[in-house]
C-alpha cells in the first residue's frame, strides 16, 4: 500500500487497457483510457483533518479529465473524502461506503489532467479506501465545443452538419432550448459517453440499452447537467451539476432503452414520452452530446428530404431491431448521441429514443416503450400531467386502457418503490392482478403490430390501417 501524500503518474509507467465499443450503427463514444494504480489508506486509518488531512494527487499530463475508481471504501461516521481539481472549483464529497453503500464506485469526473483526493478524518478508525484505477480523457474535444464542420461519423451526419450549440437557439426557439436542458452527458465507467435524459420529476433518467444495461453499469454512470458552450459558437463551456446513476429500473434490447434512478436531486426539467406514433413530415428536434462533447441541438436540416429546412420524421415506422420498432429521420447524430431524446415539434414530447445511424438515422418508438414500461416511469410535470387514474374511463400515459368494470376489484396504487402503476383496468382478457404486483399485464387479444379487423380485436382497442391490412396500434 502506498501512503505517499502526492502521487503523479507518467505515461510510460502506466498499463493502458483497451476499452471496447459495442458493435452497433451508433454507440457510446470512446472518450478515454483506463489506467491502473494502487493507492489508499492504512486499515484502520488515523485521525487527520484540516491542515493535517492526508492528500493524494492522481494526474496524467494532457488528460482532458480524470475519473477515479475506488475498489474499497469504508469510512468512519463523520469522516469524508473530497475529490476536487487543484483549484478547488470542482468539488465532490463521499462518505460511509460510498454513494451506493457497497464499498466500491466510480467517483465524479474531474475536468483537467489532475484530481486531488483528500481524506478528512475527524474520528479515524475506519477501514479506509483503496484506488485501483482511473480513467483519463484522451479526446481533446470532450470538454470543449466540437467544430460543427468536422463530423466524426459522416455516415450519420446526413450531408452538411446542421447541429448547433444549444445556446444558438435560446432566443429563437425558447421551448426547444428549455427542453434541451433535460438531455445530459452520461459518462459510463472510465472511458465512454452516451446521452441520457431526465424522464420524471423523481429523478429517473433514460438512455440506450447498448450504452448500459446492468445494475453495475448504471452505478458506474455519471449524469452531467447542462454541459454546453457558454454562448453560440463559444470556445468555453460549463456545466451546472451532476448525479450518479443509482438503480436499474428496466432495460430492453429491441427498443434499446434503459431506465434508471439517480442518487440526488436535479433542477433540470424532465421530458414526457408521447404515446403515439408521429406521422411522416412532423417536425422534430434532437438534443444530445455527439462524440461525447458539449450539448448540441439538431433542429434545422439541409438534407434534400427536408425541404422545410427543419428536421422531420422521414419514416414512420421503420425497422430498427424489429420490424416497425423505430421512427426514422435525417436529423444529424453521431456516436455519443445514443440515448438522445427525439422530440416532436408539435407536442414537445419524446417520440423516439435515438440509437441508430446510417441516414436514415432512427430511434426506438416512445409509444412502444411506454407500452412495455409505462407503469414504471414516474410522472413528469413538464407536460406529463398527473399519474394515471384508475377507473376514470380515460386512457392516460402509463395505462394500456381504462374502464370502470374491474371484476369487483378495487384498484389502488400499491406495491413498493418508484414506478408502481396505478392501474391497468378491465380490457377483455387483461390480468388485473398487474395493478397490484407491478408486473406487466397479460392480454389474450392482439398486441401492437398484429393484424386485426376491428378495435375489439386489440388489447389497445385501436385497430388502424387500410382494409385487409389493419394492425393494432
Amino acid at each position: 500500500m502506498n501512503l505517499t501524500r502526492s502521487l503523479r503518474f507518467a505515461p510510460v509507467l502506466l498499463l493502458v487497457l483497451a476499452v471496447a465499443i459495442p458493435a452497433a450503427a451508433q454507440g457510446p463514444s470512446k472518450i478515454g483510457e483506463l489506467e491502473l494504480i494502487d493507492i489508499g489508506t492504512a486499515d484502520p486509518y488515523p485521525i487527520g483533518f484540516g491542515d493535517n488531512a492526508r492528500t493524494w494527487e492522481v494526474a496524467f499530463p494532457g488528460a482532458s479529465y480524470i475519473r477515479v475508481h475506488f475498489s474499497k471504501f469504508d469510512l468512519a461516521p463523520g469522516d469524508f473524502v473530497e475529490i476536487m481539481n487543484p483549484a478547488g472549483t470542482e468539488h465532490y464529497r463521499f462518505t460511509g461506503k460510498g454513494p451506493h453503500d457497497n464499498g466500491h464506485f466510480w467517483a465524479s469526473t474531474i475536468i483537467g489532467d489532475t484530481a486531488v483526493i483528500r481524506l478528512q478524518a475527524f474520528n479515524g478508525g475506519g477501514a479506509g479506501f483503496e484506488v485501483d484505477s482511473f480513467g483519463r480523457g484522451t479526446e481533446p474535444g470532450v470538454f470543449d465545443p466540437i467544430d460543427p464542420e468536422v463530423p466524426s461519423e459522416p455516415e450519420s451526419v446526413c450531408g452538411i452538419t446542421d447541429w448547433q450549440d444549444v445556446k444558438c437557439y435560446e432566443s429563437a426557439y425558447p421551448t426547444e432550448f428549455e427542453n434541451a436542458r433535460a438531455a445530459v452527458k452520461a459518462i459510463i465507467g472510465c472511458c465512454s459517453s452516451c446521452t441520457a435524459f431526465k424522464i420524471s420529476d423523481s429523478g429517473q433518467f433514460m438512455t440506450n440499452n447498448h450504452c448500459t444495461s446492468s445494475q453495475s453499469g448504471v452505478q458506474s454512470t455519471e449524469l452531467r447537467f447542462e454541459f454546453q458552450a457558454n454562448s453560440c459558437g463559444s470556445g468555453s463551456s460549463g456545466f451546472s451539476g451532476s448525479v450518479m446513476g443509482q438503480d436499474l429500473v428496466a432495460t430492453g434490447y429491441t427498443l434499446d432503452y434503459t431506465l434508471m434512478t439517480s442518487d440526488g436531486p436535479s433542477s433540470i426539467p424532465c421530458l414526457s414520452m408521447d404515446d403515439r406514433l408521429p406521422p411522416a413530415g412532423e417536425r422534430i428536434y434532437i438534443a444530445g452530446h455527439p462524440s461525447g462533447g458539449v450539448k448540441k441541438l439538431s433542429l434545422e436540416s439541409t438534407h434534400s428530404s427536408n425541404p422545410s429546412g427543419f428536421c422531420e420524421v422521414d419514416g414512420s415506422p421503420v425497422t430498427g431491431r424489429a420490424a416497425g420498432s423505430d421512427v426514422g429521420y435525417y436529423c444529424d447524430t453521431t456516436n455519443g448521441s445514443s440515448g438522445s431524446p427525439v422530440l416532436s415539434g408539435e407536442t414537445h414530447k419524446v417520440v423516439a429514443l435515438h440509437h441508430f445511424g446510417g441516414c436514415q438515422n432512427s430511434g426506438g418508438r416512445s409509444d412502444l416503450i411506454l407500452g412495455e414500461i409505462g407503469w414504471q416511469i414516474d410522472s413528469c410535470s413538464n407536460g406529463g400531467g398527473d399519474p394515471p387514474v384508475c377507473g376514470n374511463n380515460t386512457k392516460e400515459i402509463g395505462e394500456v386502457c381504462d374502464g370502470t368494470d374491474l371484476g369487483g376489484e378495487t384498484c389502488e396504487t400499491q406495491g413498493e418503490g418508484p414506478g408502481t402503476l396505478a392501474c391497468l383496468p378491465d380490457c377483455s382478457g387483461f390480468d388485473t392482478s398487474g395493478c397490484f404486483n407491478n408486473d406487466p399485464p397479460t392480454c389474450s387479444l392482439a398486441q401492437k403490430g398484429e393484424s386485426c379487423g376491428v378495435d375489439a380485436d386489440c388489447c389497445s382497442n385501436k385497430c388502424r390501417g387500410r382494409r385487409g391490412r389493419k394492425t393494432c396500434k
Side-chain angles (χ1 to χ4, degrees):
M1 185 77 64
N2 193 335
L3 300 180
T4 306
R5 285 178 175 263
S6 179
L7 298 178
R8 194 166 192 93
F9 298 92
V12 295
L13 299 178
L14 291 169
L15 173 64
V16 179
L17 300 183
V19 179
I21 298 177
Q26 288 193 350
S29 180
K30 182 180 177 182
I31 58 174
E33 295 286 353
L34 180 69
E35 309 291 355
L36 301 182
I37 56 175
D38 181 16
I39 64 173
T41 68
D43 181 3
Y45 60 85
I47 293 174
F49 56 90
D51 292 341
N52 295 318
R54 289 168 177 80
T55 301
W56 297 258
E57 187 179 88
V58 179
F60 196 104
S64 58
Y65 69 83
I66 299 292
R67 192 177 192 199
V68 172
H69 182 258
F70 288 94
S71 56
K72 169 186 171 182
F73 198 90
D74 189 2
L75 304 185
D79 296 346
F80 58 88
V81 162
E82 301 169 293
I83 297 182
M84 66 194 84
N85 61 6
T89 55
E90 192 176 2
H91 186 280
Y92 305 94
R93 179 179 294 188
F94 300 98
T95 61
K97 291 188 176 182
H100 312 304
D101 199 34
N102 58 10
H104 56 87
F105 62 96
W106 282 99
S108 303
T109 305
I110 298 297
I111 296 175
D113 65 3
T114 303
V116 176
I117 304 173
R118 180 175 297 156
L119 172 62
Q120 297 285 4
F122 298 95
N123 298 306
F129 69 78
E130 293 179 4
V131 175
D132 64 351
S133 58
F134 69 94
R136 48 101 176 174
T138 57
E139 299 300 320
V142 165
F143 288 99
D144 295 301
I146 297 173
D147 182 351
E149 299 304 321
V150 186
S152 61
E153 296 288 337
E155 74 276 10
S156 296
V157 174
C158 304
I160 298 172
T161 307
D162 295 315
W163 65 51
Q164 298 288 337
D165 291 323
V166 290
K167 276 286 190 178
C168 299
Y169 295 107
E170 184 173 11
S171 298
Y173 295 92
T175 299
E176 288 82 349
F177 173 80
E178 176 66 14
N179 287 338
R181 295 179 58 214
V184 302
K185 179 182 171 74
I187 306 168
I188 304 161
C190 74
C191 308
S192 64
S193 175
C194 281
T195 301
F197 70 94
K198 185 179 175 182
I199 196 170
S200 70
D201 293 319
S202 66
Q204 293 174 317
F205 286 81
M206 181 170 283
T207 189
N208 285 146
N209 166 276
H210 76 251
C211 291
T212 186
S213 59
S214 65
Q215 176 73 359
S216 61
V218 165
Q219 292 189 343
S220 78
T221 301
E222 179 186 1
L223 303 160
R224 184 159 289 219
F225 313 144
E226 298 180 292
F227 172 53
Q228 58 198 48
N230 293 323
S231 61
C232 181
S234 170
S236 61
S237 59
F239 68 99
S240 63
S242 68
V243 293
M244 297 289 194
Q246 186 66 35
D247 289 313
L248 175 68
V249 178
T251 191
Y253 173 82
T254 301
L255 296 173
D256 204 5
Y257 62 80
T258 287
L259 177 66
M260 70 182 83
T261 63
S262 57
D263 71 346
S266 52
S267 59
I268 59 174
C270 55
L271 298 175
S272 297
M273 300 194 81
D274 216 328
D275 62 350
R276 67 187 177 93
L277 175 64
E282 183 165 300
R283 185 173 72 85
I284 58 172
Y285 55 101
I286 303 174
H289 290 272
S291 298
V294 294
K295 190 183 300 179
K296 301 291 184 178
L297 188 55
S298 291
L299 186 151
E300 298 171 295
S301 174
T302 54
H303 194 272
S304 58
S305 295
N306 303 140
S308 67
F310 293 98
C311 292
E312 298 175 359
V313 173
D314 293 293
S316 182
V318 298
T319 295
R321 286 179 167 173
S325 64
D326 281 25
V327 171
Y329 38 83
Y330 289 98
C331 210
D332 289 340
T333 59
T334 190
N335 283 3
S337 299
S338 291
S340 296
V342 182
L343 292 111
S344 164
E346 302 295 327
T347 66
H348 298 287
K349 293 182 179 181
V350 178
V351 293
L353 180 65
H354 174 73
H355 67 155
F356 279 174
C359 294
Q360 294 181 23
N361 305 327
S362 71
R365 290 167 49 182
S366 64
D367 60 325
L368 298 183
I369 294 174
L370 281 175
E372 290 190 3
I373 61 167
W375 58 88
Q376 294 176 284
I377 301 173
D378 294 344
S379 62
C380 172
S381 59
N382 185 29
D386 296 323
V389 177
C390 174
N392 66 350
N393 288 307
T394 302
K395 177 182 172 293
E396 296 150 322
I397 291 178
E399 290 183 316
V400 173
C401 56
D402 203 338
T404 55
D405 179 11
L406 302 179
E409 298 286 344
T410 300
C411 197
E412 301 172 349
T413 300
Q414 298 193 21
E416 297 180 356
T420 301
L421 179 63
C423 183
L424 288 174
D426 181 56
C427 184
S428 201
F430 266 103
D431 177 7
T432 56
S433 66
C435 295
F436 303 104
N437 60 18
N438 208 24
D439 290 335
T442 57
C443 180
S444 60
L445 302 180
Q447 304 289 333
K448 288 184 178 180
E450 296 180 349
S451 61
C452 59
V454 295
D455 288 347
D457 292 338
C458 303
C459 286
S460 64
N461 201 36
K462 290 182 180 179
C463 182
R464 303 289 186 267
R466 297 179 181 178
R467 182 178 298 178
R469 300 178 63 182
K470 290 184 177 182
T471 59
C472 295
K473 302 298 182 183

